[in-house]
Amino acid sequence: MKSVLQSRYLGCFSKMLDQSSNNEKLLQIKKRAAECIDCNLSKSRENVVFGSGDPNSKLAVIAEGPSAADNHTSFPFSGPAGNMLDEVLAANEITRAEIWLTNIIKCRAADQHQNGLKNRPPKITEIKACSKWLDNELTIIQPFVILCLGSPAAKTLIQSGFKITEERGIWYTDTRYSPFAIATYNPAYVLRQEGDDFMKLRSTIIDDIGKAKRKLSEANEYKRTTLF
């Protein structure tokens, strides 16, 4: 009995050390990212929006970039799209505290218009300038599954010619940062739809998150089969 309890204690202690280590590493990277001026987005941002969640999660959910709300709060998916993300995660009995949630760029991509800043897709130069922060995040976390929300994230992490309408929900294997990657629609895009289109796409996101969750159950078996 004593040896069993000792084993459980050591296992829990080891897990705590691993989590502390990842937390510390990510905190250091977050501090460095907050001072980044490697592209022009640093001139218009209010805050750098770094990833958040469980630093030891085997599921990384990655979208395009911060919204206006995120730019204000400094947290990813903190506006209406974040509310919807929470809903579709909850439909699969997942919370954002159990995943690593981040974006391919850490500053809001927006242009000045008459009524203020308006969101736009990130430029290739901006994605490249910000790639080191995403690289650091994913290298530390080492997710088993990456779920891309939207085409820009999928083009960055799966393949450059990715077409969301044709390739969402399809598994890609042995991508740069994870053994398995899949893409679905970004909740921000779904919120711009109406009626049946909205309901259909919302249901699609729920289904794709379910696929990602089920794939996580294969993680331990995958480690055993790829040990040598």
Coordinates of all heavy atoms in Angstrom, one line a residue, residues 45-126:
R45 N -1.6 48.8 -31.6 CA -2.2 47.9 -30.6 C -2.4 48.6 -29.2 O -1.7 49.5 -28.9 CB -1.3 46.7 -30.4 CG 0.0 47.0 -29.6 CD 0.8 45.7 -29.4 NE 2.0 46.1 -28.6 CZ 3.3 45.6 -28.9 NH1 3.4 44.9 -30.0 NH2 4.3 46.0 -28.2
E46 N -3.3 48.1 -28.5 CA -3.5 48.5 -27.1 C -2.8 47.5 -26.2 O -2.1 47.9 -25.2 CB -5.0 48.6 -26.7 CG -5.3 49.1 -25.3 CD -6.7 49.2 -25.0 OE1 -7.6 49.1 -26.0 OE2 -7.1 49.4 -23.9
N47 N -2.9 46.2 -26.5 CA -2.2 45.2 -25.7 C -1.8 44.0 -26.7 O -2.4 43.8 -27.7 CB -3.2 44.5 -24.7 CG -3.4 45.4 -23.5 OD1 -2.5 45.7 -22.7 ND2 -4.7 45.9 -23.4
V48 N -0.7 43.4 -26.3 CA -0.3 42.1 -26.9 C -1.2 41.1 -26.3 O -1.4 41.0 -25.1 CB 1.2 41.8 -26.7 CG1 1.5 40.4 -27.1 CG2 2.0 42.8 -27.4
V49 N -1.8 40.2 -27.2 CA -2.7 39.2 -26.7 C -2.0 37.8 -26.8 O -2.0 37.2 -27.9 CB -4.0 39.2 -27.5 CG1 -5.0 38.1 -27.0 CG2 -4.7 40.6 -27.5
F50 N -1.5 37.4 -25.7 CA -0.8 36.1 -25.7 C -1.8 35.0 -25.4 O -2.9 35.2 -25.1 CB 0.3 36.1 -24.6 CG 1.4 35.1 -24.8 CD1 2.3 35.2 -25.8 CD2 1.5 34.0 -23.9 CE1 3.3 34.3 -26.0 CE2 2.5 33.1 -24.1 CZ 3.4 33.2 -25.1
G51 N -1.3 33.7 -25.6 CA -2.2 32.6 -25.4 C -2.5 32.4 -23.9 O -1.8 32.9 -23.0
S52 N -3.5 31.6 -23.7 CA -3.9 31.3 -22.3 C -4.6 30.0 -22.2 O -4.9 29.3 -23.2 CB -4.9 32.4 -21.8 OG -6.2 32.3 -22.5
G53 N -4.7 29.5 -20.9 CA -5.3 28.2 -20.7 C -4.3 27.2 -20.0 O -3.5 27.7 -19.2
D54 N -4.4 26.0 -20.3 CA -3.6 24.9 -19.6 C -2.3 24.7 -20.4 O -2.3 24.3 -21.5 CB -4.4 23.6 -19.6 CG -3.7 22.5 -18.9 OD1 -2.5 22.7 -18.5 OD2 -4.2 21.4 -18.8
P55 N -1.2 25.1 -19.8 CA 0.1 25.0 -20.5 C 0.6 23.5 -20.7 O 1.5 23.3 -21.4 CB 1.1 25.7 -19.5 CG 0.5 25.5 -18.2 CD -1.0 25.6 -18.4
N56 N -0.2 22.6 -20.1 CA 0.1 21.2 -20.4 C -1.0 20.5 -21.2 O -1.0 19.2 -21.3 CB 0.3 20.4 -19.0 CG 1.6 20.9 -18.4 OD1 2.7 20.7 -18.9 ND2 1.4 21.5 -17.2
S57 N -1.9 21.2 -21.7 CA -3.0 20.6 -22.5 C -2.4 20.0 -23.8 O -1.5 20.5 -24.4 CB -4.0 21.7 -22.9 OG -5.0 21.1 -23.7
K58 N -3.0 18.9 -24.2 CA -2.7 18.2 -25.4 C -3.5 18.7 -26.6 O -3.4 18.2 -27.7 CB -2.8 16.7 -25.2 CG -1.8 16.1 -24.3 CD -0.3 16.5 -24.7 CE 0.7 16.1 -23.8 NZ 2.1 16.5 -24.2
L59 N -4.4 19.7 -26.3 CA -5.2 20.3 -27.4 C -4.9 21.8 -27.4 O -5.2 22.5 -26.5 CB -6.7 20.0 -27.1 CG -7.7 20.8 -28.0 CD1 -7.5 20.4 -29.5 CD2 -9.1 20.5 -27.6
A60 N -4.4 22.2 -28.6 CA -4.2 23.6 -28.8 C -5.2 24.1 -29.8 O -5.3 23.6 -30.9 CB -2.8 23.9 -29.3
V61 N -6.0 25.1 -29.5 CA -6.9 25.7 -30.3 C -6.4 27.1 -30.8 O -6.1 28.0 -30.0 CB -8.3 25.9 -29.6 CG1 -9.3 26.6 -30.6 CG2 -8.8 24.6 -29.2
I62 N -6.2 27.2 -32.1 CA -5.5 28.4 -32.6 C -6.3 29.1 -33.7 O -6.7 28.5 -34.7 CB -4.1 27.9 -33.2 CG1 -3.4 27.2 -32.1 CG2 -3.3 29.1 -33.7 CD1 -2.1 26.5 -32.7
A63 N -6.5 30.4 -33.5 CA -7.2 31.2 -34.5 C -6.3 32.2 -35.2 O -5.1 32.1 -35.1 CB -8.4 31.9 -33.8
E64 N -7.0 33.2 -35.8 CA -6.3 34.1 -36.7 C -5.5 35.2 -35.9 O -4.3 35.4 -36.0 CB -7.3 34.7 -37.7 CG -6.7 35.8 -38.6 CD -7.8 36.4 -39.5 OE1 -8.7 35.6 -39.9 OE2 -7.8 37.6 -39.8
G65 N -6.3 36.0 -35.1 CA -5.7 37.1 -34.4 C -6.7 37.7 -33.5 O -7.9 37.4 -33.5
P66 N -6.2 38.6 -32.6 CA -7.1 39.3 -31.6 C -8.2 40.1 -32.2 O -8.0 40.8 -33.3 CB -6.1 40.1 -30.8 CG -4.7 39.6 -31.1 CD -4.8 39.0 -32.5
S67 N -9.3 40.2 -31.5 CA -10.4 41.1 -31.9 C -10.2 42.4 -31.2 O -9.3 42.6 -30.4 CB -11.7 40.4 -31.5 OG -11.8 40.4 -30.1
A68 N -11.2 43.3 -31.5 CA -11.2 44.6 -30.8 C -11.3 44.4 -29.3 O -10.6 45.1 -28.5 CB -12.3 45.5 -31.3
A69 N -12.2 43.5 -28.9 CA -12.3 43.2 -27.4 C -11.0 42.6 -26.8 O -10.6 43.0 -25.7 CB -13.5 42.2 -27.2
D70 N -10.4 41.7 -27.6 CA -9.2 41.1 -27.1 C -8.1 42.1 -26.9 O -7.3 42.1 -26.0 CB -8.7 40.0 -28.1 CG -9.7 38.9 -28.3 OD1 -10.6 38.7 -27.5 OD2 -9.5 38.2 -29.3
N71 N -8.0 43.1 -27.9 CA -7.0 44.1 -27.8 C -7.2 45.0 -26.6 O -6.2 45.5 -26.0 CB -7.2 45.0 -29.1 CG -6.1 46.1 -29.2 OD1 -4.9 45.8 -29.0 ND2 -6.5 47.3 -29.6
H72 N -8.4 45.1 -26.1 CA -8.6 45.8 -24.9 C -8.3 45.0 -23.6 O -7.8 45.5 -22.6 CB -10.1 46.3 -24.8 CG -10.5 47.0 -23.6 ND1 -10.0 48.3 -23.3 CD2 -11.3 46.7 -22.6 CE1 -10.5 48.7 -22.1 NE2 -11.3 47.7 -21.7
T73 N -8.7 43.7 -23.6 CA -8.6 42.9 -22.4 C -7.3 42.2 -22.3 O -6.8 41.8 -21.2 CB -9.7 41.8 -22.3 OG1 -9.5 40.9 -23.4 CG2 -11.1 42.4 -22.4
S74 N -6.6 42.0 -23.4 CA -5.3 41.3 -23.5 C -5.5 39.8 -23.4 O -4.5 39.0 -23.3 CB -4.3 41.7 -22.5 OG -4.5 41.2 -21.2
F75 N -6.8 39.3 -23.5 CA -7.0 37.8 -23.5 C -7.7 37.4 -24.8 O -8.5 38.1 -25.4 CB -8.0 37.5 -22.3 CG -7.3 37.6 -21.0 CD1 -7.6 38.7 -20.2 CD2 -6.4 36.7 -20.5 CE1 -7.1 38.9 -18.9 CE2 -5.8 36.8 -19.3 CZ -6.2 37.9 -18.5
P76 N -7.3 36.2 -25.3 CA -7.9 35.7 -26.6 C -9.3 35.4 -26.4 O -9.7 34.8 -25.4 CB -7.0 34.5 -27.0 CG -6.5 34.0 -25.7 CD -6.3 35.3 -24.8
F77 N -10.1 35.7 -27.5 CA -11.5 35.3 -27.5 C -12.3 35.8 -26.2 O -12.9 35.0 -25.5 CB -11.7 33.8 -27.6 CG -11.6 33.3 -29.1 CD1 -10.3 33.0 -29.6 CD2 -12.7 33.2 -29.9 CE1 -10.2 32.6 -30.9 CE2 -12.6 32.8 -31.2 CZ -11.3 32.5 -31.7
S78 N -12.2 37.1 -26.0 CA -12.9 37.7 -24.9 C -14.2 38.4 -25.2 O -14.9 38.9 -24.4 CB -11.9 38.7 -24.2 OG -11.4 39.6 -25.0
G79 N -14.5 38.5 -26.5 CA -15.7 39.2 -27.0 C -16.8 38.3 -27.3 O -16.9 37.1 -26.8
P80 N -17.7 38.7 -28.2 CA -18.9 37.8 -28.6 C -18.4 36.5 -29.2 O -19.0 35.4 -28.9 CB -19.6 38.7 -29.7 CG -19.3 40.1 -29.3 CD -17.9 40.1 -28.8
A81 N -17.3 36.5 -30.0 CA -16.8 35.2 -30.5 C -16.3 34.3 -29.4 O -16.4 33.1 -29.5 CB -15.7 35.5 -31.5
G82 N -15.8 34.9 -28.4 CA -15.4 34.1 -27.2 C -16.5 33.5 -26.5 O -16.4 32.3 -26.0
N83 N -17.7 34.2 -26.4 CA -18.8 33.6 -25.8 C -19.3 32.4 -26.6 O -19.7 31.4 -26.0 CB -20.0 34.7 -25.7 CG -19.6 35.8 -24.8 OD1 -18.8 35.7 -23.9 ND2 -20.2 37.0 -25.0
M84 N -19.3 32.5 -27.9 CA -19.7 31.4 -28.7 C -18.7 30.3 -28.6 O -19.1 29.1 -28.6 CB -19.8 31.8 -30.2 CG -20.3 30.7 -31.1 SD -20.6 31.2 -32.8 CE -21.0 29.6 -33.5
L85 N -17.4 30.6 -28.6 CA -16.4 29.5 -28.4 C -16.7 28.8 -27.1 O -16.6 27.5 -27.1 CB -15.0 30.1 -28.4 CG -13.9 29.1 -28.2 CD1 -13.9 28.0 -29.3 CD2 -12.5 29.8 -28.1
D86 N -17.0 29.5 -26.0 CA -17.3 28.8 -24.8 C -18.5 27.9 -24.9 O -18.5 26.8 -24.3 CB -17.6 29.9 -23.7 CG -16.3 30.6 -23.2 OD1 -15.2 30.1 -23.4 OD2 -16.4 31.7 -22.7
E87 N -19.5 28.3 -25.7 CA -20.7 27.5 -25.9 C -20.4 26.2 -26.6 O -20.9 25.1 -26.2 CB -21.7 28.3 -26.6 CG -22.3 29.5 -25.8 CD -23.2 30.4 -26.7 OE1 -23.4 30.0 -27.9 OE2 -23.7 31.4 -26.2
V88 N -19.6 26.3 -27.7 CA -19.4 25.1 -28.5 C -18.4 24.2 -27.8 O -18.4 23.0 -28.0 CB -18.9 25.5 -29.9 CG1 -20.0 26.2 -30.7 CG2 -17.6 26.4 -29.9
L89 N -17.5 24.7 -27.0 CA -16.6 23.9 -26.2 C -17.5 23.2 -25.1 O -17.3 22.0 -24.9 CB -15.6 24.7 -25.5 CG -14.4 25.3 -26.3 CD1 -13.6 26.2 -25.5 CD2 -13.5 24.1 -26.8
A90 N -18.4 23.9 -24.5 CA -19.2 23.4 -23.4 C -20.1 22.2 -24.0 O -20.4 21.3 -23.3 CB -20.1 24.4 -22.8
A91 N -20.5 22.4 -25.3 CA -21.3 21.3 -25.9 C -20.6 20.0 -26.0 O -21.2 18.9 -26.1 CB -21.8 21.8 -27.3
N92 N -19.2 20.1 -25.9 CA -18.4 18.9 -25.9 C -17.8 18.7 -24.5 O -16.8 17.9 -24.3 CB -17.3 19.1 -26.9 CG -17.7 18.9 -28.3 OD1 -18.0 17.8 -28.7 ND2 -17.9 20.0 -29.0
E93 N -18.4 19.3 -23.5 CA -17.9 19.2 -22.1 C -16.4 19.5 -21.9 O -15.7 18.8 -21.3 CB -18.2 17.8 -21.6 CG -19.7 17.4 -21.6 CD -20.0 16.0 -21.0 OE1 -19.0 15.2 -21.0 OE2 -21.1 15.8 -20.5
I94 N -16.1 20.6 -22.5 CA -14.7 21.2 -22.4 C -14.8 22.6 -22.0 O -15.7 23.3 -22.4 CB -14.0 21.1 -23.8 CG1 -13.9 19.7 -24.3 CG2 -12.5 21.7 -23.7 CD1 -13.3 19.6 -25.7
T95 N -13.8 23.1 -21.3 CA -13.7 24.5 -20.9 C -12.4 25.1 -21.5 O -11.5 24.3 -21.7 CB -13.8 24.8 -19.4 OG1 -12.6 24.3 -18.8 CG2 -15.0 24.1 -18.8
R96 N -12.4 26.4 -21.6 CA -11.1 26.9 -22.1 C -9.9 26.8 -21.2 O -8.8 26.8 -21.6 CB -11.3 28.4 -22.5 CG -11.6 29.3 -21.4 CD -11.5 30.8 -21.9 NE -12.5 31.2 -22.8 CZ -12.5 32.2 -23.6 NH1 -11.4 33.0 -23.6 NH2 -13.5 32.5 -24.4
A97 N -10.2 26.5 -19.9 CA -9.2 26.2 -18.9 C -8.5 24.9 -19.2 O -7.4 24.6 -18.7 CB -9.8 26.2 -17.5
E98 N -9.1 24.0 -20.0 CA -8.5 22.7 -20.3 C -7.8 22.7 -21.6 O -7.2 21.6 -22.0 CB -9.7 21.7 -20.3 CG -10.4 21.5 -19.0 CD -11.6 20.6 -19.2 OE1 -12.7 21.1 -19.6 OE2 -11.5 19.4 -18.9
I99 N -7.7 23.8 -22.3 CA -7.1 23.8 -23.6 C -6.0 24.9 -23.6 O -5.9 25.7 -22.7 CB -8.1 24.0 -24.8 CG1 -8.7 25.4 -24.7 CG2 -9.1 23.0 -24.8 CD1 -9.6 25.8 -25.8
W100 N -5.2 24.9 -24.6 CA -4.3 26.1 -24.9 C -4.9 26.9 -26.0 O -5.1 26.4 -27.1 CB -2.9 25.7 -25.2 CG -2.0 27.0 -25.2 CD1 -1.5 27.6 -26.4 CD2 -1.6 27.8 -24.1 NE1 -0.8 28.7 -26.1 CE2 -0.8 28.9 -24.7 CE3 -1.8 27.7 -22.8 CZ2 -0.3 29.9 -23.9 CZ3 -1.2 28.7 -22.0 CH2 -0.5 29.8 -22.5
L101 N -5.3 28.1 -25.8 CA -6.0 29.0 -26.7 C -5.1 30.1 -27.1 O -4.7 30.9 -26.3 CB -7.3 29.5 -26.1 CG -8.2 30.4 -27.0 CD1 -8.7 29.6 -28.2 CD2 -9.4 30.9 -26.1
T102 N -4.9 30.3 -28.4 CA -4.0 31.3 -28.9 C -4.3 31.7 -30.3 O -5.2 31.1 -30.9 CB -2.5 30.9 -28.7 OG1 -1.7 32.0 -28.9 CG2 -2.1 29.8 -29.7
N103 N -3.5 32.6 -30.9 CA -3.7 33.1 -32.2 C -2.3 33.0 -33.0 O -1.3 33.0 -32.3 CB -4.2 34.5 -32.3 CG -5.6 34.7 -31.8 OD1 -6.5 34.2 -32.4 ND2 -5.8 35.3 -30.6
I104 N -2.4 33.1 -34.3 CA -1.1 33.0 -35.0 C -0.4 34.4 -35.0 O 0.8 34.5 -35.1 CB -1.3 32.6 -36.5 CG1 -2.3 33.5 -37.2 CG2 -1.8 31.2 -36.6 CD1 -2.5 33.2 -38.7
I105 N -1.2 35.5 -34.7 CA -0.6 36.8 -34.5 C -1.1 37.3 -33.1 O -2.2 36.9 -32.7 CB -0.8 37.8 -35.6 CG1 -2.3 38.1 -35.7 CG2 -0.2 37.4 -36.9 CD1 -2.6 39.3 -36.6
K106 N -0.3 38.1 -32.4 CA -0.6 38.5 -31.1 C -1.1 39.9 -31.0 O -1.4 40.3 -29.8 CB 0.6 38.3 -30.2 CG 1.3 36.9 -30.3 CD 0.4 35.8 -30.1 CE 1.1 34.4 -30.2 NZ 0.2 33.3 -30.3
C107 N -1.1 40.6 -32.0 CA -1.6 42.0 -32.0 C -2.8 42.1 -33.0 O -2.8 41.4 -34.1 CB -0.6 43.0 -32.4 SG 0.8 43.1 -31.3
R108 N -3.7 42.9 -32.7 CA -4.9 43.1 -33.6 C -4.5 43.7 -34.9 O -3.8 44.7 -35.0 CB -5.9 44.0 -32.9 CG -7.2 44.3 -33.8 CD -8.0 45.4 -33.2 NE -9.2 45.6 -34.0 CZ -10.0 46.6 -33.8 NH1 -9.7 47.6 -33.0 NH2 -11.1 46.7 -34.6
A109 N -4.9 43.0 -36.0 CA -4.7 43.5 -37.4 C -5.9 44.3 -37.8 O -7.0 43.8 -37.9 CB -4.5 42.3 -38.3
A110 N -5.7 45.6 -37.9 CA -6.8 46.5 -38.2 C -6.3 47.7 -39.0 O -5.1 48.1 -38.8 CB -7.5 46.9 -37.0
D111 N -7.1 48.3 -39.8 CA -6.8 49.6 -40.5 C -7.7 50.7 -40.1 O -8.8 50.5 -39.6 CB -6.9 49.4 -42.0 CG -5.8 48.5 -42.6 OD1 -4.7 48.5 -42.0 OD2 -6.1 47.8 -43.6
Q112 N -7.2 51.9 -40.2 CA -8.0 53.1 -39.8 C -9.0 53.4 -40.8 O -8.7 53.5 -42.0 CB -7.0 54.3 -39.6 CG -7.7 55.5 -39.0 CD -8.1 55.2 -37.5 OE1 -7.4 54.7 -36.7 NE2 -9.4 55.6 -37.2
H113 N -10.3 53.6 -40.4 CA -11.4 54.0 -41.2 C -12.0 55.2 -40.6 O -11.6 55.6 -39.5 CB -12.4 52.9 -41.5 CG -11.8 51.7 -42.3 ND1 -12.1 51.6 -43.6 CD2 -11.0 50.7 -42.0 CE1 -11.5 50.5 -44.1 NE2 -10.8 50.0 -43.1
Q114 N -13.0 55.7 -41.3 CA -13.7 56.9 -40.8 C -14.2 56.7 -39.4 O -14.2 57.6 -38.5 CB -14.8 57.4 -41.7 CG -14.3 58.0 -43.0 CD -15.5 58.5 -43.8 OE1 -16.6 58.0 -43.7 NE2 -15.2 59.5 -44.6
N115 N -14.8 55.6 -39.1 CA -15.4 55.3 -37.8 C -14.4 54.6 -36.8 O -14.9 54.0 -35.9 CB -16.7 54.4 -38.0 CG -17.7 55.2 -38.8 OD1 -17.9 56.4 -38.7 ND2 -18.5 54.4 -39.6
G116 N -13.2 54.6 -37.1 CA -12.2 54.0 -36.3 C -11.5 52.8 -36.9 O -11.6 52.6 -38.1
L117 N -10.9 52.0 -36.1 CA -10.1 50.8 -36.6 C -11.1 49.7 -37.0 O -12.1 49.5 -36.4 CB -9.2 50.3 -35.5 CG -8.0 51.1 -35.2 CD1 -7.2 50.5 -34.0 CD2 -7.0 51.2 -36.4
K118 N -10.8 49.1 -38.1 CA -11.6 48.0 -38.6 C -10.7 46.8 -38.9 O -9.7 46.9 -39.5 CB -12.3 48.4 -40.0 CG -13.3 47.3 -40.5 CD -14.0 47.8 -41.8 CE -14.9 46.7 -42.3 NZ -15.6 47.1 -43.5
N119 N -11.2 45.6 -38.4 CA -10.4 44.4 -38.5 C -10.1 44.0 -40.0 O -10.9 44.3 -40.8 CB -11.1 43.2 -37.8 CG -11.0 43.3 -36.3 OD1 -10.4 44.2 -35.7 ND2 -11.6 42.3 -35.6
R120 N -9.0 43.4 -40.2 CA -8.6 42.9 -41.5 C -7.8 41.6 -41.4 O -7.3 41.4 -40.3 CB -7.8 43.9 -42.3 CG -6.5 44.3 -41.6 CD -5.6 45.0 -42.6 NE -4.4 45.5 -41.9 CZ -3.4 44.8 -41.5 NH1 -3.4 43.5 -41.8 NH2 -2.3 45.4 -40.9
P121 N -7.7 40.8 -42.4 CA -6.8 39.6 -42.3 C -5.4 40.1 -42.1 O -4.9 41.1 -42.6 CB -7.0 38.9 -43.7 CG -8.3 39.5 -44.2 CD -8.4 40.9 -43.7
P122 N -4.6 39.3 -41.3 CA -3.2 39.6 -41.2 C -2.4 39.5 -42.5 O -2.7 38.6 -43.3 CB -2.7 38.6 -40.1 CG -3.7 37.5 -40.2 CD -5.0 38.1 -40.6
K123 N -1.4 40.3 -42.6 CA -0.5 40.2 -43.8 C 0.5 39.1 -43.6 O 0.8 38.8 -42.4 CB 0.2 41.6 -44.0 CG -0.8 42.7 -44.3 CD 0.0 44.1 -44.4 CE -1.0 45.2 -44.6 NZ -0.3 46.5 -44.7
I124 N 1.0 38.6 -44.7 CA 2.1 37.6 -44.6 C 3.3 38.1 -43.8 O 3.8 37.3 -43.0 CB 2.5 37.1 -46.0 CG1 1.3 36.4 -46.7 CG2 3.7 36.2 -45.9 CD1 1.6 36.0 -48.1
T125 N 3.6 39.3 -44.0 CA 4.8 39.8 -43.2 C 4.5 39.9 -41.7 O 5.4 39.7 -40.9 CB 5.1 41.2 -43.7 OG1 4.0 42.1 -43.7 CG2 5.7 41.2 -45.2
E126 N 3.3 40.2 -41.4 CA 2.9 40.2 -40.0 C 2.9 38.8 -39.3 O 3.3 38.7 -38.2 CB 1.5 40.9 -39.8 CG 1.5 42.4 -40.2 CD 0.2 42.9 -40.5 OE1 -0.8 42.2 -40.5 OE2 0.0 44.2 -40.6

